[in-house]
């Protein structure tokens, strides 16, 4: 006598039929997300969700397209047919000027700066568990602007504005660290102290803008809003060194951050150390943001929006460090492309465009919350 073999299809009960297919589907166990092994050399195999892998590949293609458009669009752009040879060190004349002086360094700085901001925001939001958290919230950008302003007013010949910006960011973070009383371990105190430091730093910046001469004030305003104009290969070297040194440490923090998102008690029970992880993640986030600010100024909202877009694109939990890095680079390159090519304005600071995008994104979140049932 044959017995019926069990199948994957569950038998519907009268209750399931009465409740409808949605209720029956809700009771079925969720399928685990499909993962693909990405091999790095013969000994390392990293499990990656297929959705994340596809999203990363699409983002890379979009970044490549945006980079190509940056180099080729406009009156001074390199013709697409000449672009491959120009990139192979065969550029001459106008093409050499555009690639080596005008747009090449600017593009390379934009990619690394956006990536640094995106990774910084992902680290910070994962630790604070706050979708609206970013290094800007704790006063880093405002401190960088105040440092740049102070260097321009008090030490115009002794200290470059970029160095003043970096020192301002570091001083602001030191004040926040000691003001919380617990260092970087308490996200709530971190945000409150950061708001206070940001307010004081903004007041100093506005005073300097009114106090210095008009020409210097215009240049300073462009810098403190975030600008990629007149970037050099030296700037590109600085930010790429910061990014490449920080990435391995971020990779080491990926698993502890994923465990930490389950809650401090669960993370402690699994052998993680959430307080130590939080301190390390915030410190690395500050290093990345400070490096980006030193070469491009305090560009707003990239660190805020990139991790949130990554979360919605992949539709999965976790810190999304890789996707946030790629999306940060893409967002800043697109914003800089708009700043260069939009005919309505004459090369506005790229930070104004990222502010516009960030404001629109916050408006979208607000409208979404209004329409969400209570």
């Amino acid at each position: 006598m044959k017995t019926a073999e069990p199948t994957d299809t569950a038998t519907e009960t009268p209750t399931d039929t009465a409740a409808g297919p949605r209720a029956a589907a809700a009771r079925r166990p969720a399928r685990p997300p499909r993962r693909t092994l990405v091999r790095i050399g013969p000994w390392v195999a990293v499990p990656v969700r297929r959705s994340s892998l596809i999203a990363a590949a699409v983002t890379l293609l979009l970044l490549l397209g945006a980079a190509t458009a940056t180099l080729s669009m406009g009156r001074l752009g390199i013709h697409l047919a000449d672009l491959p040879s120009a990139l192979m060190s065969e550029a001459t004349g106008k093409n050499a000027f555009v690639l080596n002086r005008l747009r090449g360094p600017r593009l390379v700085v934009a990619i690394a700066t956006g990536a640094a901001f995106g990774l910084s925001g992902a680290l910070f939001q994962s630790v604070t568990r706050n979708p609206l958290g970013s290094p800007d919230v704790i006063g880093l950008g405002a401190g960088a602007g105040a440092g740049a302003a102070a260097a321009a007013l008090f030490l115009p010949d002794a200290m470059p504005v970029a160095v003043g910006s970096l020192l301002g960011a570091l001083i602001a973070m030191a004040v926040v660290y000691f003001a919380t009383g617990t260092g970087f371990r308490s996200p709530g105190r971190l945000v409150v102290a950061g708001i206070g430091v940001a307010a004081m730093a903004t007041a100093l910046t506005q005073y300097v803008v009114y106090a210095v001469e008009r020409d210097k004030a215009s240049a300073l305003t462009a810098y403190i809003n975030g600008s990629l104009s007149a970037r050099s290969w030296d700037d590109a070297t600085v930010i790429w060194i910061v990014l490449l040194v920080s990435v391995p440490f971020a990779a080491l923090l990926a698993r502890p951050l994923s465990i930490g998102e389950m809650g401090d008690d669960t993370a402690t029970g699994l052998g993680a150390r959430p307080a130590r992880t939080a301190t390390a993640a915030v410190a690395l986030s500050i290093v990345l943001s400070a490096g980006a600010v030193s070469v491009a100024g305090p560009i707003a909202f990239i660190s805020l929006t990139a991790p949130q877009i990554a979360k919605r694109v992949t539709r999965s939990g976790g810190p999304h460090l890789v996707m946030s890095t790629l999306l940060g680079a893409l967002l800043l390159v697109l914003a800089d492309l708009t700043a260069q090519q939009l005919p309505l304005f004459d090369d506005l600071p790229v930070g104004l465009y990222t502010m516009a995008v960030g404001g629109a994104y916050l408006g979208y979140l607000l409208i979404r919350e209004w329409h969400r049932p209570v």
Side-chain angles (χ1 to χ4, degrees), residues 178-222:
F178 291 108
T180 61
T182 57
F184 296 138
R185 294 191 297 272
S186 174
R189 294 185 180 185
L190 195 65
V191 172
V192 172
I195 291 173
V197 171
M200 292 186 290
T202 301
L204 174 61
T205 302
Q206 294 303 320
Y207 165 75
V208 172
V209 169
Y210 281 107
V212 299
E213 299 174 1
R214 179 176 299 179
D215 293 340
K216 290 183 179 180
S218 299
L220 181 60
T221 301

Side-chain angles (χ1 to χ4, degrees), residues 85 112 121 137 168 194 225 239 320 357:
S85 61
V137 174
N225 284 316
I239 185 57
H320 304 293
V357 172

Side-chain angles (χ1 to χ4, degrees), residues 208-270:
V208 172
V209 169
Y210 281 107
V212 299
E213 299 174 1
R214 179 176 299 179
D215 293 340
K216 290 183 179 180
S218 299
L220 181 60
T221 301
Y223 182 84
I224 62 179
N225 284 316
S227 176
L228 292 170
S229 299
R231 295 298 151 234
S232 67
W233 290 115
D234 291 338
D235 298 319
T237 300
V238 169
I239 185 57
W240 274 101
I241 288 176
V242 172
L243 183 63
L244 293 176
V245 169
S246 301
V247 163
F249 292 100
L252 292 175
L253 288 172
R255 182 171 177 79
L257 287 174
S258 297
I259 296 174
E261 291 189 350
M262 302 177 186
D264 289 348
D265 294 337
T266 303
T268 302
L270 292 173

